[in-house]
Amino acid sequence: MYLRSFSQVMFQNSPISGLFFFLGVLINSISMAISMFVAVFFANYFAQKLNYSSEDIENGLYGFNASLVGIAFILFFKLTLWSIVLLIFASFLSVIIFEYMKKNIKSFKAFTFPFILTVWVFLFFQGFLGLESASENIETSTFSYSFFDAIFTNFAQVFFQDYYLSGILFAIGIFFSSKRDFFYTLYASLLAIFIAEIFGFLDNEISLGLYGYNAVLVALALINNVNNKKSFLTISFAIICSVFVVKLFFIFNLIALTFPFVLVSWIFLYKTSQD
């Protein structure tokens, strides 16, 4: 249940994948790994107490949004006793939103939207809720761009990690669960880098995986939901679109999270369902 909650972030229903994903976060940030586990624990606890589908609970469907919520709380907010209390409530909120979407918005899959909405709400009401911003570590070292690092940082940023070794562990986790998904995500990462490069996007943004992680998620969402002769072209176009949606968020100085992935996936899944 807990490991599957981690694995479902990248559409894998595998405890082995979940273990690799958890370790990938752990080697980069112990605090994020602990916060992620706490969020998942309480999300599954609330889902059980609310008598939600036991099968969905065991498959990690009520926990994967909470896992991202747990990471986001460390990313955006200073760790305090109060923030931990609010994290537990945020985990509960992500479960409620997921259940509502599952039952009432059948035209669109929930994906990570419960996580997105939950974090946006807490960011919007941050001052009112008394949440302090996390301190930023300002690095003065000279920036260097590594194409290899960027490939796997695209994977790492799915869990908001900026460490390529985390991304390698995530990629291995996918490989153990699905060879097809692994090759599609690798293709998505490479294509996202290529598009960002040819359009002259900033090297530091590319290297940090900021254009690639939504592309990786788009590939996973569509390969598991689009089955037609044009699926490869459809997925490729969707990956490209996700890169430009991310750029729009940068232009308007908005916090994207995984919304570009959700938006692009919704649009393409709706379009293919009409064909």
Side-chain angles (χ1 to χ4, degrees), residues 5 36 72 78 89-90 95-96 108 117 123 163 187 195 205 214 235 250 263 272:
S5 293
M36 179 173 69
K78 183 178 179 180
F89 177 74
V95 169
I96 296 298
F108 296 98
L117 184 58
L123 285 170
Y163 188 31
Y187 167 69
I195 295 299
E205 294 173 348
N214 279 284
I235 293 169
F250 286 161
L263 178 62
T272 54

Side-chain angles (χ1 to χ4, degrees), residues 38-47 49-50 52 62 66 69 85-99 114 118 122:
V38 169
V40 165
F41 174 84
F42 279 101
N44 284 297
Y45 172 79
F46 291 131
K49 288 298 181 182
L50 292 168
Y52 290 162
Y62 288 101
V69 169
V85 172
L86 290 180
L87 169 61
I88 295 171
F89 177 74
S91 302
F92 169 73
L93 183 59
S94 72
V95 169
I96 296 298
I97 296 171
F98 180 84
E99 179 69 6
T118 298
F122 277 85

Side-chain angles (χ1 to χ4, degrees), residues 36-179:
M36 179 173 69
F37 181 81
V38 169
V40 165
F41 174 84
F42 279 101
N44 284 297
Y45 172 79
F46 291 131
Q48 289 173 327
K49 288 298 181 182
L50 292 168
N51 293 317
Y52 290 162
S53 167
S54 59
E55 181 180 357
D56 287 350
I57 293 171
E58 287 298 321
N59 286 331
L61 296 181
Y62 288 101
F64 75 92
N65 277 285
S67 69
L68 294 176
V69 169
I71 292 172
F73 259 65
I74 298 297
L75 182 65
F76 293 113
F77 309 126
K78 183 178 179 180
L79 182 60
T80 63
L81 181 60
W82 178 235
S83 72
I84 294 172
V85 172
L86 290 180
L87 169 61
I88 295 171
F89 177 74
S91 302
F92 169 73
L93 183 59
S94 72
V95 169
I96 296 298
I97 296 171
F98 180 84
E99 179 69 6
Y100 178 84
M101 293 188 70
K102 188 178 85 167
K103 286 188 174 179
N104 299 287
I105 312 179
K106 299 184 184 298
S107 300
F108 296 98
K109 293 179 180 292
F111 293 134
T112 56
F113 189 71
F115 147 69
I116 297 163
L117 184 58
T118 298
V119 173
W120 277 352
V121 167
F122 277 85
L123 285 170
F124 185 81
F125 291 105
Q126 179 179 351
F128 176 79
L129 293 170
L131 284 166
E132 300 179 54
S133 295
S135 58
E136 295 184 4
N137 295 318
I138 301 174
E139 298 184 2
T140 57
S141 59
T142 303
F143 170 78
S144 61
Y145 173 53
S146 166
F147 178 76
F148 176 82
D149 289 3
I151 294 171
F152 291 102
T153 309
N154 286 340
F155 285 82
Q157 286 287 4
V158 171
F159 284 87
F160 304 103
Q161 308 302 302
D162 57 1
Y163 188 31
Y164 75 96
L165 286 180
S166 297
I168 289 175
L169 286 177
F170 298 162
I172 292 171
I174 296 172
F175 183 83
F176 270 104
S177 177
S178 171
K179 308 299 186 295

Side-chain angles (χ1 to χ4, degrees), residues 1 13-14 21 53 72 77 82 95 119 131 137 140 157 169 171 178 182 197-198 209 225 232 234 250 258 262 269:
M1 167 169 60
N13 188 12
S14 164
F21 296 171
S53 167
F77 309 126
W82 178 235
V95 169
V119 173
L131 284 166
N137 295 318
T140 57
Q157 286 287 4
L169 286 177
S178 171
F182 168 77
E197 289 252 7
I198 64 173
N225 290 284
F232 180 78
T234 300
F250 286 161
T258 55
V262 172
L269 289 176

